Amino acid sequence: MGTPSKWARRFRLSSCRCPQSPGPILPVNERIVLPIPGIGTCGGWLVKRRELTTYRTHHRKVGSMKIGIIGAGNIGGNLTRRLTALGHDVSVANSRGPQTLTALAEETGATPVTAAEAARGAQVVVVTVPLKAVPLLPSGFLAEAAEGAVVIDTGNYYPQQRDGRIGAIEDGLPESRWTEQQIGHPVIKAFNGTYAQDILDNGRPKGSPGRQALPVAGDDAAAKQVVRDLIDELGFDTVDAGSLDESWHQQPGTPVYGHQGDAEAVTKALAAASPERTAEWRA
């Protein structure tokens, strides 16, 4: 990449890709960290950071929220990128400590925190850690979350590949119901079968033909709607996958797992699921 002055001379920058601001802009990879003071990326386009608020206002659906993300792997990292670009106040944590999240924080503007602090004041908390790590989350980590906070569980049970045997899940308890029991708070299951790269690349405006859909399961209708609205803002349709007890319809090995189809295709895939785990997904 050249020096900031070379970038400034080479590219003519505009504020955003909104219809209200149709000037020339440069498409870029959102994960690039640009060495240009005052320049960032939004929606895959190079923009002036001071004008990101304009972009976010034009594309706002659910209103700016305080969101805590626990887990900065592929899903957690890309959700951090997209949600900060949409104007949400994001705190992000991992198991190694906030000092290891400096690059992600500089890239996105998210606040690096400890896992114990991530939910503080948060209206939405995303738990995106390996299932085997869920019982290791700090005790009471949700105690200081905002009243009525919605918790999203993105987890999957990988007994052979990562998590080891979890008896209750082997005996038929849905994965997210197990997670709910571990953390002592209702959860909404979403993003568990979504490719991390899709979160960056596949978002489309509402009404776009073939817009990718994500299944969402949970017991609380209001909390589920918060999650569905947030996913819509990220650029994806959603399909109501039923209660948390029915969330096995979207676990690893089911037809919808890794599905990139639209709402109609995802609905059919959910209906075709079997509660019987295949050998690959059993301990």
Side-chain angles (χ1 to χ4, degrees), residues 16 195 216 248 264:
C16 78
Y195 292 110
V216 179
W248 57 263
E264 181 179 359

Side-chain angles (χ1 to χ4, degrees), residues 184-210:
H185 192 287
V187 304
I188 303 297
K189 189 177 189 73
F191 299 108
N192 73 290
T194 308
Y195 292 110
Q197 195 62 35
D198 287 354
I199 294 172
L200 289 184
D201 296 342
N202 288 6
R204 300 290 183 270
K206 190 175 182 67
S208 298

Side-chain angles (χ1 to χ4, degrees), residues 80-183:
T80 298
R81 292 178 175 94
R82 290 297 318 283
L83 292 170
T84 52
L86 288 167
H88 295 291
D89 179 4
V90 177
S91 295
V92 60
N94 65 9
S95 61
R96 297 176 295 148
Q99 72 279 0
T100 65
L101 295 169
T102 301
L104 183 62
E106 290 178 350
E107 176 189 349
T108 64
T111 303
V113 294
T114 66
E117 300 168 325
R120 187 173 295 165
Q123 297 155 282
V124 173
V125 180
V126 183
V127 177
T128 181
V129 300
L131 246 65
K132 66 179 182 180
V134 170
L136 304 179
L137 291 172
S139 177
F141 74 95
L142 292 169
E144 295 184 62
E147 185 176 355
V150 175
V151 178
I152 301 173
D153 171 36
T154 77
N156 290 307
Y157 177 47
Y158 299 131
Q160 299 177 35
Q161 301 87 347
R162 182 190 65 193
D163 298 313
R165 189 180 194 278
I166 298 176
I169 297 178
E170 289 289 332
D171 291 340
L173 187 69
E175 300 162 6
S176 287
R177 185 67 79 190
W178 180 85
T179 295
E180 181 180 79
Q181 293 176 359
Q182 303 306 305
I183 68 175

Side-chain angles (χ1 to χ4, degrees), residues 4 21 32 53 61 74 118 134 141 147 149 164 200 214 240 248:
S21 180
I32 292 174
T53 301
K61 177 176 176 61
N74 294 333
V134 170
F141 74 95
E147 185 176 355
L200 289 184
L214 280 57
D240 190 331
W248 57 263

